[in-house]
Amino acid sequence: GYADVNNSSGQDLSESDGRKQDGKNDGKDDDQMLLWTADILRRLHERYYSTSASVEKSVPDLLRSMRRETLRRHPSAKVVMSGLIPIHKQNKQSNIRPPIVRYAEELGAEVLSDVAQGVTHVVAARDGSSKIHRARKEYPGCYIVHAAWLMECYWSITRRDEKSHHMGPLPKQPTQPLPVPPSATAKKDVLLLESDDEESDVDEMDDDFDAELERDMMGL
């Protein structure tokens, strides 16, 4: 599985289907990663040699550009985190973003501090939080997904189907926000996190995810 987002007890929050981590699915997961890597390398090769990529010739730059387009392209994603932010990192201005927030932003998503107009996804550790209840009541077109959905988007650099990671019934008419203008991707010194009654249960994660992804792809 994708154990990048864990709680303090060691449960893999990405195991959305409740499978036991007994090693039975390791081969399947490895095969999936190989398929994703092959697809990324194919797209990377095409972009590297395309005339439109003349100003983005380094592999890391191209990877970052490809990743930013994942959740930024229409319909652009506006996500809210539920139960995934350590309590001590909430309501504090910091130059270091919580990893789960950074993953979402690097995918091109806009991270909202709370459920609000235009929200497309609540990325949650578990069902039943106050944010999830409000999203279902006030914005029935919002997806309620496990963290594994976001991690699969990150590792595959594609927008993954929410169905296999969804909690509860799928929305009949998903929220369709307006396209995000280029200026919206600029960094803003704003408060992204808001404390609520949800208990955070995430361990600290390594902050050098880009380098790890590039090493995996290049076989270093």
Side-chain angles (χ1 to χ4, degrees):
Y2 309 96
D4 298 281
V5 185
N6 298 326
N7 65 6
S8 56
S9 64
Q11 177 187 358
D12 185 354
L13 297 179
S14 69
E15 291 290 341
S16 57
D17 57 3
R19 294 174 299 182
K20 293 182 180 179
Q21 298 182 50
D22 54 7
K24 293 182 179 179
N25 294 295
D26 288 348
K28 183 177 180 180
D29 290 341
D30 289 343
D31 290 344
Q32 183 64 73
M33 286 296 296
L34 286 173
L35 291 173
W36 288 345
T37 301
D39 179 63
I40 292 170
L41 289 172
R42 177 187 58 79
R43 290 184 286 136
L44 181 63
H45 180 272
E46 291 176 355
R47 182 166 298 201
Y48 187 88
Y49 288 103
S50 69
T51 55
S52 61
S54 59
V55 296
E56 296 181 298
K57 280 303 185 181
S58 76
V59 169
D61 285 345
L62 289 171
L63 284 172
R64 281 189 287 270
S65 178
M66 290 167 58
R67 192 178 298 120
R68 280 195 303 270
E69 296 169 0
T70 304
L71 298 182
R72 180 183 171 190
R73 288 181 172 176
H74 188 67
S76 58
K78 294 186 177 183
V79 305
V80 172
M81 305 299 176
S82 174
L84 293 170
I85 308 298
I87 293 175
H88 70 278
K89 287 193 174 183
Q90 296 183 11
N91 283 327
K92 292 183 179 180
Q93 295 284 5
S94 174
N95 292 326
I96 301 178
R97 294 168 294 169
I100 194 71
V101 172
R102 182 165 63 82
Y103 300 156
E105 290 182 336
E106 290 183 0
L107 285 166
E110 179 181 352
V111 180
L112 306 177
S113 63
D114 203 355
V115 175
Q117 182 67 40
V119 61
T120 61
H121 297 77
V122 175
V123 181
R126 61 178 63 85
D127 202 348
S129 71
S130 62
K131 288 179 180 176
I132 291 176
H133 285 310
R134 287 174 52 211
R136 285 180 174 145
K137 181 179 179 180
E138 300 175 20
Y139 307 104
C142 179
Y143 289 106
I144 313 297
V145 294
H146 290 275
W149 173 76
L150 193 66
M151 301 314 299
E152 284 194 5
C153 291
Y154 197 99
W155 280 110
S156 66
I157 314 186
T158 58
R159 188 169 189 144
R160 307 300 296 171
D161 187 4
E162 292 90 350
K163 185 176 180 180
S164 61
H165 301 292
H166 205 269
M167 292 182 250
L170 286 164
K172 294 181 180 179
Q173 293 183 327
T175 304
Q176 298 288 327
L178 294 174
V180 178
S183 59
T185 59
K187 287 188 177 181
K188 302 176 183 178
D189 294 328
V190 297
L191 186 62
L192 291 176
L193 310 177
E194 180 176 284
S195 180
D196 60 7
D197 61 353
E198 301 165 12
E199 178 182 358
S200 176
D201 50 14
V202 182
D203 285 341
E204 296 294 326
M205 290 177 282
D206 184 5
D207 199 46
D208 197 13
F209 209 49
D210 283 335
E212 182 180 344
L213 177 60
E214 186 179 354
R215 286 197 302 271
D216 286 347
M217 288 184 55
M218 298 305 172
L220 301 177

